[in-house]
Each structure stands twice: as structure tokens, then as C-alpha cells.
Amino acid sequence: MYLYLIIAFQGFCIYHLLKNKNSYYWIFAILFLPFIGCVTYLVTQVLNKRGTEKMQSNLSTIIEPSKKNTSSKVKGLESKLEFTDTYLNRVNLADAYLEANNYERAIEHYLIALEDKTQNEFYVKAHLIKSYYAIKDYDQVLALSQGLESHKEYEKSEIPFCYGMALAEKDKTEEAEEQFEIMDRPYSNYNERVAFAKFLLRFDKANKAKELIEDLYVEMQNMTAINKSIYKATILDVEKLKNAL
């Protein structure tokens, strides 16, 4: 009985060695020192490596916690949708994909959710527009944005910016400017308004761009310390634009 156990132990160790491409000198230890060689191999090459991999995994979680959390969130919502296929579960999963910058998968689920005509489609369309804008599918942005302007949430959403940028890409400058004007509100939408200023400069509207940049510069001087940290890159962008005028 003991002999069979040793042979099985040796077989496992050699199989693990070959599968994981470990150093072949272990074969001699496993074959010629059956018990000691196998135990040593098990401790140093199987158990310790698993511990190391776990430690590396934990370290990755510490370094990139948001990435780990987002991945776990997506997996959890995938399981939830598989168990109960409801409108809410699908939209929540699509939102998680959007948060993870997996735009193609987000679009896939938003489109399915959009088929349910009993639901308020504005939320889903707004997020579809954001997803299509992220992958530079401006035709889809234009198609989905049209007809949404009368919705009460339109001006508070990200649609005017995405719609405006898509219009600008299609050289529909006047229509694009109208959309940018909607989201040009003091002490908000800083990144979008910087993009608006760049749009104005691009289309030779320097006076209006200068006025907007000056407004942004003043607002950023009055930011809280937390917001200055959050919008550090945006502040630098505004300062570069201001100095270039």
C-alpha cells in the first residue's frame, strides 16, 4: 500500500513539474529520493507558489483596487442577469461595463434594454450616446440624440456635449455651438467647457473663446483644494490656453 502511495505521489509531482515547466533536476529528486524529494517539491513548488500567487493577487488589488472592484462588480451583475433576466439587471450590467470602459459590451446590453418599450428610454439612450461617443461612432451619436432635446433631463445630461462634439466632427459648426451653449454653465462642466473653448478657437471664434477661458480661469482660482486636486489637469489646460491667447 505504501509503495502505491509513493508511486502516486511521484506521478503527481512529475505531472505538475511537466505541466508548469519547472526545472527538470527535480525529476531526479522525485525518483531517487521518493518521499523526501516529493515532499520538498510539494512544499517549494506547489504550496509556496500558490501562496506567492495569492500574495501577488492581493498586491494587485492594493495597487489597483478600483480595477479589481469593477471586475468583481461586473461578474456579480453578469451572474445576477443570468439568474434573473430583467430590465433593471440588464441596465445595471450595461452601466458596469460602461464604468469599466468596455463600451462594446455596454452598447450590446443597452440596445437590448432599449427594446423594452414600457420603460423610460431616456436614461438608456443617454448612456448609449456616451458609449458610442467613446468609440467615436459619431453617426450613432447623431441618430440617438435627435428628438431628445425636449426631455426635462436633457440639459443636465452629457448628451449636449457628446451631440455637440459629433456635430463638430461632421462640420455642422452652428448646430454644434448651440449644443455647447447648453452645457456652458458657471462652476460646472469644466472639462466640457474647455473642449468648447478649443472648438471656438478651431473655428476662428477667438473673442468668444477668450471670454470663456477667462471665465474658467477665474472659477478655477476660487476652487476648493479638493476640486483643484481633481481638476489639476484641466486647470493646467486652461492656463495653457490663457497664455496662448
Side-chain angles (χ1 to χ4, degrees):
M1 185 68 178
Y2 173 78
L3 179 61
Y4 291 124
L5 287 174
I6 288 294
I7 292 171
F9 201 180
Q10 287 176 312
F12 166 78
C13 292
I14 291 173
Y15 169 76
H16 184 277
L17 180 152
L18 296 173
K19 182 180 178 182
N20 292 276
K21 298 180 180 179
N22 290 333
S23 298
Y24 286 107
Y25 71 79
W26 279 107
I27 292 178
F28 297 102
I30 292 166
L31 292 177
F32 296 108
L33 298 170
F35 181 75
I36 295 173
C38 288
V39 169
T40 304
Y41 179 85
L42 184 68
V43 171
T44 61
Q45 302 301 308
V46 180
L47 300 181
N48 277 2
K49 282 196 174 181
R50 286 178 182 173
T52 301
E53 287 168 3
K54 185 175 180 181
M55 183 175 68
Q56 288 174 339
S57 176
N58 291 338
L59 184 60
S60 297
T61 304
I62 293 168
I63 295 171
E64 295 184 282
S66 60
K67 185 176 179 181
K68 180 73 173 179
N69 291 340
T70 301
S71 178
S72 299
K73 182 180 179 181
V74 167
K75 288 180 181 178
L77 290 169
E78 285 174 336
S79 298
K80 194 171 182 180
L81 178 64
E82 187 176 350
F83 183 73
T84 313
D85 189 348
T86 65
Y87 175 85
L88 182 59
N89 285 347
R90 188 172 296 281
V91 171
N92 286 340
L93 177 57
D95 288 347
Y97 278 127
L98 179 58
E99 183 184 343
N101 301 327
N102 190 340
Y103 304 113
E104 299 289 353
R105 293 288 285 163
I107 289 167
E108 177 187 332
H109 287 284
Y110 284 133
L111 287 174
I112 295 172
L114 203 59
E115 293 174 3
D116 187 344
K117 302 303 181 184
T118 66
Q119 303 292 334
N120 182 346
E121 65 181 19
F122 182 83
Y123 179 89
V124 171
K125 281 192 174 181
H127 285 70
L128 257 177
I129 288 165
K130 186 176 178 180
S131 301
Y132 278 124
Y133 176 73
I135 62 173
K136 300 182 179 180
D137 190 338
Y138 302 119
D139 289 331
Q140 288 292 345
V141 172
L142 295 175
L144 285 163
S145 298
Q146 291 170 9
L148 296 179
E149 291 158 293
S150 61
H151 196 280
K152 62 182 181 180
E153 296 294 322
Y154 183 82
E155 293 187 5
K156 298 178 183 178
S157 71
E158 295 181 62
I159 299 175
F161 174 72
C162 296
Y163 189 21
M165 292 295 285
L167 288 165
E169 289 293 330
K170 298 295 182 179
D171 293 324
K172 297 181 179 181
T173 56
E174 295 303 320
E175 295 172 60
E177 189 170 348
E178 288 176 10
Q179 294 301 317
F180 288 133
E181 292 283 3
I182 293 172
M183 55 83 199
D184 182 16
R185 297 189 297 273
Y187 293 96
S188 63
N189 299 332
Y190 297 113
N191 294 327
E192 291 82 357
R193 290 163 70 207
V194 169
F196 183 23
K198 291 178 179 178
F199 163 84
L200 293 168
L201 290 171
R202 175 183 165 191
F203 290 101
D204 298 322
K205 298 190 177 186
N207 290 335
K208 194 169 183 178
K210 183 177 180 180
E211 183 180 338
L212 176 54
I213 291 165
E214 290 290 349
D215 288 343
L216 283 164
Y217 183 77
V218 170
E219 290 172 27
M220 288 175 175
Q221 301 311 301
N222 297 320
M223 275 183 172
T224 63
I226 293 174
N227 275 346
K228 283 183 178 179
S229 176
I230 293 171
Y231 293 104
K232 186 176 180 180
T234 309
I235 292 169
L236 291 173
D237 214 3
V238 170
E239 289 175 351
K240 287 179 183 177
L241 289 170
K242 186 175 185 297
N243 293 332
L245 292 174

